[in-house]
Amino acid sequence: MARASEHADRPLMVLGGAQVYALALAAGAEEQILTQVHLSPEGDTFYPHFDRAEWTETRREPHLDAEVPFEFVWLARLVPGDPAAGRGSAS
């Protein structure tokens, strides 16, 4: 994350774990591309909570006929570069 400022003129894609995603949200990530899987499996690792009210959906690509239904969801931060976002609760 520290080296991201060296490439501020290019998009940066973050591939997590949960802690890496949380750091990116706290650092002011301006976009998210989420995969919403229509299952509720047991597990102990989750995407970090973020305040959904601070984001707007810009695109949705459903794959509801897949063996495991899912959707790609694009979100954009309403106030780009706001590092306070990502510290709220999920909606």
Side-chain angles (χ1 to χ4, degrees):
M1 297 294 275
R3 293 190 54 185
S5 63
E6 297 173 21
H7 305 284
D9 59 330
R10 297 185 292 180
L12 173 69
M13 181 158 295
V14 175
L15 305 174
Q19 291 177 335
V20 175
Y21 292 134
L23 287 170
L25 289 169
E30 296 178 0
E31 296 178 294
Q32 300 185 65
I33 303 172
L34 305 177
T35 305
Q36 292 183 340
V37 180
H38 297 274
L39 291 176
S40 297
E42 302 250 346
D44 62 358
T45 303
F46 301 92
Y47 193 78
H49 292 286
F50 64 96
D51 186 348
R52 185 64 173 83
E54 296 175 354
W55 298 82
T56 186
E57 184 175 316
T58 60
R59 182 175 162 197
R60 181 176 292 262
E61 184 179 301
H63 297 271
L64 303 178
D65 293 331
E67 183 176 338
V68 175
F70 69 96
E71 297 177 77
F72 293 125
V73 181
W74 284 258
L75 301 175
R77 193 183 296 266
L78 291 171
V79 180
D82 182 0
R87 297 182 190 152
S89 61
S91 309

